[in-house]
């Protein structure tokens, strides 16, 4: 072979290794770029933690009370959150929620209500988490609250579509969040900025709610809504603690969130 | 370039196209082999149904009352079920169940009980479903019952590991199945053949249970267990109807099953 074709040969070998490498992340640990899936490629087995199966266990509520994303899965979760799949998974959920809402025989009595969680449900904190290891680093309340105070969380577009549909069906919207009352103003501004222009209530943790488990606090608040005459026909959140407990609503929907766990 | 290096060049082009093709299933619909993932390759977006997101919606109980696997996802589900991922996902669940069981302060009073579903939980009907479209074809009760009557369903190894652990902890095992009483004998023989040698009860649908929703039938049977003094410390199944309803047990575990839905 002449020198040009030798170079061509070398070029293709390098390209080939690069492509095959994508399917052998566990065997060839050299990172080619920062956000590299550590599993994938048709779910082939890899050594150590399978991040796909870890996410399955998380999203099905089999794995509970976990503190951080396993270090091995930081890149996997980052890829998932920044890529198409997070959005597609979200859409798979909100498509069902929209179908369900449209299938209801609504009375239009003004009491039919849908409960939305806020963070990672109607608003996305991905701009923050993308700078903090996608949940692989321990929760940093100072940094997170500084982010919240910017009021710049974008909407999760799929949830916004659901919100628009519910509003068109004259279903009342209640936002029920674990954020504290001290963040009411910035939360309201952020919601409006993100395209949520009207709601029946925005419920935040008051003084008496501090320290309660999310599942307890949210159950109590939903029970209060029912006592006030609201009928919770739907309830959506990214955490199981949003949709388990009592007064959960006629039907619940679980959005994806492999970044953190709240009990 | 000389003729040999031209051939070499062509060879690498062909190899390259073949490898890249794996990541572009939706663009290049020519099937290379029967069981080809229709998504995968790091969860890139494909046109039409995303089988990954469909499975997410199914396993999180967002998508309910579905009749068959979408036709587009037959190959995806087949790959999933026959490949490593189904087993890895199952292990991610049973690992948590084993950790949980070992963490309990057991009294050893002989009343501590774990409820197992049977099909796709302790026994696998994959030999049957692999011949019937992995759930993409409508349920065929004649063919399925003929398969059950062979008594040859293998165990799901991950569930068997859990079973062995529970037995070593002196926890009683109850099998609670939607199979009818008429299949008691063959079910018992199949369970023994698959390595489940001892159990406290095998509960099948009696005459009065025919036609009941699985979630109702199973709730009633668990309630009866509690009335008999059993304490259900754990409950595992592949269907949400195994672990929702009443008397669900102190903790529930959801195994993967993208092949069928029972309400």
């Amino acid at each position: 072979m002449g020198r040009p074709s030798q170079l061509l040969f070398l070029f293709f070998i390098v390209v080939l290794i690069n492509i095959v490498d994508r399917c052998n992340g566990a065997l060839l640990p050299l990172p080619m770029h920062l956000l590299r899936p550590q599993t994938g490629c048709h779910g082939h087995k890899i050594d150590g933690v399978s991040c796909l199966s870890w996410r399955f266990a998380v999203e099905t509520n089999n794995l509970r009370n976990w503190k951080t994303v396993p270090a091995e899965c930081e890149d996997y979760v980052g890829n998932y959150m920044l890529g198409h799949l997070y959005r597609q998974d979200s859409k798979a959920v909100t498509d069902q929620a929209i179908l369900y809402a449209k299938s209801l025989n609504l009375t239009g009595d003004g009491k039919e209500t849908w409960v939305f969680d806020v963070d990672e449900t109607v608003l996305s904190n991905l701009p923050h988490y993308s700078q903090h290891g996608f949940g692989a680093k321990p929760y940093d309340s100072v940094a997170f609250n500084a982010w919240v105070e910017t009021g710049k969380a974008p909407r999760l577009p799929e949830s916004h579509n659901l919100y628009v549909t519910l509003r068109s069906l004259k279903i009342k919207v209640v936002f029920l969040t674990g954020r504290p009352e001290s963040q009411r103003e910035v939360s309201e501004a952020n919601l409006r900025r993100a395209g949520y222009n009207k709601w029946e209530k925005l419920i935040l943790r008051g003084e008496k709610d501090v320290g309660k488990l999310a599942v307890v606090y949210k159950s109590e608040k939903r029970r209060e809504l029912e006592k006030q005459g609201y009928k919770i026909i739907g309830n959506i959140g990214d955490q199981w603690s949003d949709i388990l407990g009592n007064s959960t609503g006629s039907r619940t929907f679980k959005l994806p969130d492999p970044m953190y766990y709240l009990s």
Side-chain angles (χ1 to χ4, degrees), chain A:
Chain A
M1 286 194 284
R3 194 170 175 81
S5 55
Q6 280 179 339
L7 281 174
L8 201 65
F9 180 72
L10 195 67
F11 169 71
F12 276 104
I13 288 288
V14 170
V15 171
L16 209 59
I17 288 173
N18 257 301
I19 292 174
V20 172
D21 182 22
R22 290 201 210 162
C23 287
N24 290 290
L27 303 174
L28 298 168
L30 294 175
M32 298 294 294
H33 51 86
L34 193 65
L35 288 175
R36 196 169 59 104
Q38 302 220 338
T39 64
C41 281
H42 320 160
H44 288 184
K45 198 173 183 177
I46 62 160
D47 295 335
V49 171
S50 160
C51 300
L52 280 168
S53 293
W54 175 83
R55 186 164 70 84
F56 170 82
V58 162
E59 296 294 11
T60 49
N61 205 22
N62 284 301
L63 181 55
R64 302 180 188 182
N65 298 308
W66 51 279
K67 302 299 175 198
T68 52
V69 170
E72 307 91 306
C73 297
E74 176 176 340
D75 287 354
Y76 169 78
V77 171
N79 266 275
Y80 171 79
M81 291 301 297
L82 295 176
H84 293 292
L85 195 50
Y86 171 59
R87 299 289 302 281
Q88 278 188 192
D89 285 355
S90 300
K91 185 172 185 299
V93 178
T94 55
D95 279 355
Q96 292 305 313
I98 289 170
L99 272 176
Y100 163 74
K102 288 185 173 173
S103 77
L104 294 171
N105 284 320
L106 296 167
T107 61
D109 63 0
K111 288 297 181 184
E112 291 156 330
T113 303
W114 196 287
V115 175
F116 285 84
D117 170 53
V118 173
D119 293 297
E120 270 55 69
T121 299
V122 291
L123 299 179
S124 170
N125 297 304
L126 203 43
H128 169 81
Y129 283 105
S130 67
Q131 303 301 312
H132 291 81
F134 296 102
K137 296 199 175 82
Y139 174 67
D140 178 343
S141 62
V142 175
F144 183 73
N145 285 320
W147 155 253
V148 167
E149 289 297 336
T150 68
K152 290 185 179 174
R155 65 193 185 200
L156 180 62
E158 289 66 38
S159 295
H160 189 263
N161 286 345
L162 171 60
Y163 168 86
V164 169
T165 301
L166 297 177
R167 295 271 299 121
S168 75
L169 294 169
K170 315 288 181 207
I171 295 168
K172 294 271 196 298
V173 167
V174 169
F175 296 121
L176 174 52
T177 174
R179 291 185 180 192
E181 273 291 347
S182 59
Q183 292 176 341
R184 176 177 290 278
E185 207 169 325
V186 72
S187 297
E188 288 183 348
N190 198 152
L191 285 166
R192 287 203 180 86
R193 181 182 184 147
Y196 302 94
N197 299 308
K198 205 175 168 186
W199 55 82
E200 181 74 6
K201 287 174 188 285
L202 166 63
I203 305 172
L204 304 100
R205 270 183 203 258
E207 271 181 37
K208 291 180 181 171
D209 304 315
V210 176
K212 283 180 186 166
L213 287 179
V215 69
V216 173
Y217 156 67
K218 293 203 166 184
S219 291
E220 288 175 357
K221 293 299 171 183
R222 288 192 305 264
R223 182 81 192 94
E224 284 175 26
L225 285 172
E226 288 181 340
K227 280 185 184 165
Q228 291 159 18
Y230 294 101
K231 290 179 285 186
I232 303 171
I233 59 171
N235 179 10
I236 188 166
D238 62 298
Q239 299 289 320
W240 282 97
S241 54
D242 294 329
I243 56 176
L244 293 177
N246 302 312
S247 305
T248 53
S250 304
R251 188 160 164 189
T252 61
F253 295 90
K254 166 72 179 76
L255 286 164
D257 185 355
M259 299 193 298
Y260 56 86
Y261 178 92
L262 301 174
S263 55

